[in-house]
Amino acid sequence: MEIKFTPDSRSDIGSGWERAWQAGRVDLAALSATDLRYGFFEYPVDFIVEGHAFLSAARPPLTDIMFTSAHSLHSLRAAGSAKIDFTENTYVIRLELVGDQVHFTSTYNAPTPRPRCSFDAYISGVRSFVTDGVEYLGQRYPALADNPALHELRALVQVPMGDGDAGGGSESQ
């Protein structure tokens, strides 16, 4: 299981924000999570499970995919199922927890048999993806380090997930 992004500074600022950005009127520390999820940092993202590419260099807003992936951890634990969906289209990756395995399917080109990975591997993969994304954005744009949305993302992947948690690292309660 692998989720990764490739930074692309050409798509840091979404359409509609260019003039305000160039004029210095965009305060990254104060942007809402919604603005960050819809209008910024559209980077190529790969999401691969057992060789099946659910995303292959798709360009969703990075903060959006980080949020939906982080929330999927909690939905899997609480309800046994989750979805990763995208603000810019109708594509959905569905996840189902079966025992200690996460099974994946999608709205388009769903493979048979369904790719899967251990819940521990999924937790670890999502935590690494979100942590890498938050760290990259904070280093590239230091004002983002103070943005509440990035603090929320950090908190979402640090919440203890239960006994089978293989995410490691420091956790807050």
Side-chain angles (χ1 to χ4, degrees):
M1 208 295 298
E2 177 181 38
I3 309 172
K4 64 180 182 174
F5 69 98
T6 305
D8 179 358
S9 62
R10 295 174 299 148
S11 56
D12 279 354
I13 310 308
S15 61
W17 289 92
E18 295 95 346
R19 287 186 186 158
W21 180 266
Q22 291 167 350
R25 295 188 315 258
V26 175
D27 180 1
L28 291 175
L31 282 176
S32 71
T34 300
D35 287 338
L36 288 172
R37 289 179 76 163
Y38 289 87
F40 292 85
F41 315 115
E42 295 177 353
Y43 298 156
V45 174
D46 294 304
F47 187 111
I48 301 167
V49 181
E50 287 191 333
H52 179 77
F54 287 95
L55 296 176
S56 179
R59 298 181 76 87
L62 181 62
T63 47
D64 188 42
I65 187 95
M66 288 191 304
F67 266 107
T68 193
S69 298
H71 282 295
S72 75
L73 296 175
H74 300 277
S75 295
L76 280 171
R77 175 62 70 194
S81 64
K83 66 181 180 176
I84 297 173
D85 54 2
F86 304 89
T87 57
E88 70 281 0
N89 62 47
T90 59
Y91 184 63
V92 176
I93 301 169
R94 290 182 181 82
L95 297 79
E96 181 183 9
L97 186 60
V98 179
D100 67 347
Q101 297 287 304
V102 179
H103 294 237
F104 298 81
T105 191
S106 63
T107 51
Y108 309 117
N109 301 322
T112 305
R114 295 176 4 179
R116 63 185 180 179
C117 70
S118 72
F119 185 51
D120 291 346
Y122 185 69
I123 291 169
S124 179
V126 169
R127 282 186 170 167
S128 292
F129 173 68
V130 171
T131 299
D132 291 349
V134 167
E135 286 177 7
Y136 173 79
L137 293 174
Q139 288 173 359
R140 182 161 174 83
Y141 298 102
L144 272 174
D146 295 327
N147 188 296
L150 268 62
H151 291 284
E152 182 181 349
L153 275 168
R154 285 185 199 101
L156 282 169
V157 296
Q158 294 304 316
V159 174
M161 295 303 299
D163 294 336
D165 186 7
S170 63
E171 297 179 344
S172 60
Q173 297 194 27

